[in-house]
C-alpha cells in the first residue's frame, strides 16, 4: 500500500467518525484506532514492511523536544502583512524533526534563505523518514512546529516570505 493511499484512508476514517479500523493484506497490516471520533488518529502497525532508509530509526530515540523558533527578530517584524507569506504544510501524519540526525544542525532556521527543492525538515511516518522540501524560494519567517513532536496531515510547519 502506498503512502498516499494510507493518508487517504486515514483522512476518510477521521471524517467518517469510525472508532476503529483494521486492514490486513498479504504482506501488510494496519490498524487505526480513533478513540474520540473526529480527533487525533493513532496508528498501530506490525512490521511486515521493510524499507531501505538512509536514516536509521534509532537516530531519534533520545531527541529532546526543543521550543520552536517563533520569537520574531527585528528583521521579522518588517512583515506586518502576512498575506504574502507562503505556509509550508505537512503532507502526512508523523513526527516532525528539524535535523537530519542527532547532533546535526537543523535543516533551516528563522531568517535563512531557502531555494525551491531545498530540504526543510524530516517527517517520520511508519518508520520511514521523509524529507520535506520547499516548494518556493524565499526567507524562513517562522517555524510553526516544535522539534520531535507529532504533526497532523496539513498542519502548518513553516512560513516563508517569497519576496
Amino acid at each position: 500500500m502506498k503512502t498516499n493511499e494510507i493518508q487517504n484512508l486515514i483522512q476518510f476514517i477521521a471524517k467518517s467518525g469510525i472508532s476503529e479500523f483494521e486492514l490486513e493484506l498479504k504482506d501488510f497490516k494496519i490498524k487505526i484506532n480513533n478513540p474520540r471520533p473526529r480527533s487525533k488518529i493513532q496508528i498501530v502497525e506490525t512490521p511486515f514492511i521493510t524499507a531501505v532508509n538512509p536514516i536509521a530509526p534509532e537516530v531519534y530515540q533520545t531527541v529532546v523536544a526543543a521550543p520552536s523558533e517563533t520569537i520574531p527578530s527585528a528583521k521579522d517584524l518588517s512583515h506586518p502583512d502576512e498575506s504574502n507569506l507562503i505556509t509550508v504544510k505537512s503532507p502526512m501524519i508523523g513526527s516532525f524533526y528539524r535535523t537530519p540526525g542527532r547532533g546535526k544542525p537543523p535543516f533551516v532556521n528563522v531568517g535563512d534563505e531557502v531555494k525551491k527543492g531545498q530540504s526543510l525538515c524530516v517527517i517520520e511516518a511508519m518508520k520511514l523518514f521523509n524529507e520535506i522540501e520547499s516548494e518556493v524560494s524565499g526567507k524562513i519567517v517562522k517555524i510553526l512546529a516544535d522539534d520531535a513532536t507529532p504533526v497532523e496531515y496539513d498542519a502548518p510547519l513553516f512560513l516563508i516570505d517569497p519576496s
Side-chain angles (χ1 to χ4, degrees), residues 9-64:
L9 178 64
I10 290 170
Q11 288 176 358
F12 175 75
I13 291 170
K15 290 178 183 174
S16 70
I18 296 172
S19 62
E20 188 172 309
F21 176 82
E22 188 170 338
L23 173 68
E24 187 170 347
L25 303 173
K26 181 173 65 174
D27 59 347
F28 178 81
K29 180 178 179 181
I30 185 169
K31 182 177 181 181
I32 302 172
N33 291 321
N34 190 8
R36 291 176 288 161
R38 303 206 184 274
S39 65
K40 290 186 177 181
I41 297 174
Q42 177 184 6
I43 300 174
V44 180
E45 70 171 60
T46 54
F48 286 128
I49 299 175
T50 304
V52 176
N53 195 343
I55 302 173
E58 62 273 2
V59 169
Y60 294 106
Q61 289 180 354
T62 59
V63 173
V64 177

Side-chain angles (χ1 to χ4, degrees), residues 3 7 11 87-97 120-125 130-133 135 144-145 149-159:
T3 304
Q7 290 172 352
Q11 288 176 358
T87 303
V88 177
K89 296 181 180 181
S90 176
M92 63 190 69
I93 294 174
S95 296
F96 171 84
Y97 296 104
L120 300 173
C121 64
V122 172
I123 296 184
E124 176 193 3
N130 304 283
E131 285 192 15
I132 307 305
E133 297 177 349
E135 294 180 6
L144 303 170
T149 59
V151 292
E152 296 289 330
Y153 171 78
D154 219 23
L157 303 175
F158 299 92
L159 288 179

Side-chain angles (χ1 to χ4, degrees), residues 81-148:
D81 180 23
E82 292 189 0
S83 63
N84 66 329
L85 299 179
I86 305 294
T87 303
V88 177
K89 296 181 180 181
S90 176
M92 63 190 69
I93 294 174
S95 296
F96 171 84
Y97 296 104
R98 293 191 52 214
T99 65
R102 183 178 20 193
K104 296 187 179 178
F107 286 102
V108 294
N109 291 306
V110 172
D112 286 356
E113 292 289 330
V114 295
K115 293 184 173 23
K116 184 176 181 177
Q118 179 178 342
S119 295
L120 300 173
C121 64
V122 172
I123 296 184
E124 176 193 3
M126 299 186 341
K127 305 292 183 199
L128 296 175
F129 293 83
N130 304 283
E131 285 192 15
I132 307 305
E133 297 177 349
S134 177
E135 294 180 6
V136 295
S137 295
K139 183 174 92 175
I140 301 290
V141 174
K142 199 171 192 180
I143 299 173
L144 303 170
D146 290 329
D147 191 38

